[in-house]
Structure formats: structure tokens, C-alpha cells
Amino acid sequence: MPTNEVKYIYDPFFRASNTSRFEGYGIGMPLTRNIMRMHRGSIEVISAENQGTTIKVFLPLASRQT
């Protein structure tokens, strides 16, 4: 993904300029971010142009209620 486009990945319907050979509508990351917020999780995005993009999803451990 081009470096200058990473900041747009949470915009609904955004698709990076180098994704034309992949199917999709650009709703996955905005939807994922909303779900993560609801569960008090977070997302980390690491992208290097022409090398790939890594998405890490973090969810908190549930506290046990007795």
C-alpha cells in the first residue's frame, strides 16, 4: 500500500490504488475498527510500500465474574 494512503484505510469504501486485482468494497477496515472499539480492543497497522501490510488486532482478556 502506498505510504501516503495508509491514513485513509478507515474511510468507508476507500481502496488503496494498488488493489485493483483484488475484490472488495473498502468496508472491512472501517467495520473492524468499529467492532474493536465496541470490545475495547485496538488495531495496529504496519505498512511498507511494495513489501506488504500487516494488521494486528488486539482484544482485551475478559475479566471473570464470580
Side-chain angles (χ1 to χ4, degrees):
M1 175 182 324
T3 306
N4 63 332
E5 295 182 6
V6 173
K7 61 187 170 194
Y8 300 112
I9 65 169
Y10 298 114
D11 292 353
F13 308 109
F14 170 77
R15 289 182 39 91
S17 61
N18 63 344
T19 61
S20 61
R21 62 187 173 138
F22 301 102
E23 291 186 33
Y25 296 99
I27 59 172
M29 289 304 295
L31 181 61
T32 301
R33 180 179 65 172
N34 288 340
I35 292 169
M36 295 306 294
R37 285 180 175 171
M38 290 171 54
H39 293 281
R40 298 177 196 219
S42 62
I43 303 172
E44 179 182 331
V45 179
I46 303 166
S47 185
E49 195 167 350
N50 298 318
Q51 294 181 12
T53 301
T54 301
I55 310 291
K56 293 182 180 182
V57 177
F58 300 94
L59 288 168
L61 293 174
S63 60
R64 293 187 178 212
Q65 305 239 347
T66 58

